[in-house]
Amino acid sequence: MFGPALDRAVEFAQMLATRGVEQGLIGPHEVPRLWDRHLLNCAVVAELIRPSYRTLVDIGSGAGLPGLVLALLRPDLDVILLEPMERRCRFLAECAADLGVANASVLRGRAEDTRLRADVATARAVAPLSRLAELAVGLVRPGGMVLAIKGQTAADELKKARPVLRRIGARGAEVVRAGQGKVDPATTVVRFFAR
C-alpha cells in the first residue's frame, strides 16, 4: 500500500512507537496496533483525494495522522500539518525532517485563527462533526473537499451535523468507506464539499 514510501513509513512507525509514546502522542497500548489501526487506516484515505488536488491541510495533526502519512504517499501534494500545541509541532517537524518529507510543513495554530485555503482538509479524532465542519470549511477553497475520519459513529454524527452543514453551505455530505478490500475494517470517512 505504501509502495516506494514503505521504508519511510516503517521509520515513521518506529518514531511513533518510541518518541511518540515518550511524548504522549500515542498511548503505549496503541503500539501493537500502529499499522492496522493508525498507519494503514490513514493511508487508504489517499484514494479519496483527486490527483488534481495540490494542497491539503491536516487539522489538529497531533502525531501526523493522517497528514504525515498522506504526505508520504502523495509527494505531489503540499501538506500543511496544522497543530496548536508546541510540543506536537516540534515532534511533527522532527519527523518530517528525519523522514525527508519535503512536501510537509508544520504550522502552529488553531483552525479558527488560520487563514489558509487548501484544496482538501483532513481531520482525525479532532472534534464532533458539527464543530469540525465549521472549522474545516473555513480552511478549504470554494468547492474544496473535507475528509473527516470517523469510526462507527460516523452516520450518527452526520445526522446530528446536518443543520450545521446546511447553514455553512456544505454539499454532498456522505459517509464513505476507504480501503475496502485493502484494510479490515475499511476506514470510515465523512466527506463533504464547501460551497
Side-chain angles (χ1 to χ4, degrees):
M1 186 172 305
F2 280 91
L6 181 59
D7 289 344
R8 291 189 297 165
V10 169
E11 192 176 344
F12 182 43
Q14 283 301 111
M15 292 173 180
L16 290 171
T18 55
R19 288 187 266 170
V21 171
E22 291 162 11
Q23 295 180 31
L25 298 169
I26 295 287
H29 298 296
E30 292 300 309
V31 172
R33 305 186 307 179
L34 273 176
W35 282 98
D36 60 345
R37 183 165 180 171
H38 299 287
L39 296 168
L40 295 173
N41 179 267
C42 292
V44 295
V45 173
E47 72 187 36
L48 301 176
I49 302 170
R50 297 175 185 158
S52 60
Y53 289 155
R54 293 288 167 239
T55 55
L56 180 146
V57 59
D58 184 33
I59 303 168
S61 201
L65 302 166
L68 206 46
V69 172
L70 294 172
L72 283 170
L73 287 168
R74 290 282 307 270
D76 60 314
L77 203 58
D78 288 325
V79 177
I80 299 164
L81 307 171
L82 180 63
E83 172 56 50
M85 294 181 65
E86 185 175 342
R87 70 180 172 86
R88 290 179 179 174
C89 286
R90 276 194 310 268
F91 174 81
L92 291 167
E94 289 169 7
C95 288
D98 291 352
L99 294 168
V101 186
N103 62 317
S105 59
V106 180
L107 177 61
R108 184 172 179 214
R110 295 162 34 103
E112 55 269 40
D113 301 329
T114 304
R115 302 229 185 281
L116 294 173
R117 285 293 181 261
D119 295 324
V120 182
T122 57
R124 182 177 188 251
V126 170
L129 185 60
S130 55
R131 173 77 179 120
L132 176 63
E134 290 184 292
L135 297 173
V137 80
L139 296 174
V140 294
R141 64 169 174 73
M145 181 174 64
V146 175
L147 299 172
I149 299 174
K150 295 291 184 178
Q152 298 171 350
T153 63
D156 289 337
E157 282 196 57
L158 179 55
K159 185 178 178 180
K160 290 176 186 170
R162 289 272 182 210
V164 171
L165 292 166
R166 273 193 296 277
R167 181 171 48 77
I168 63 175
R171 312 178 283 107
E174 63 181 335
V175 176
V176 295
R177 304 258 188 286
Q180 291 192 62
K182 297 176 186 172
V183 294
D184 186 26
T187 302
T188 305
V189 179
V190 175
R191 175 177 61 191
F192 65 88
F193 297 86
R195 87 172 88 160

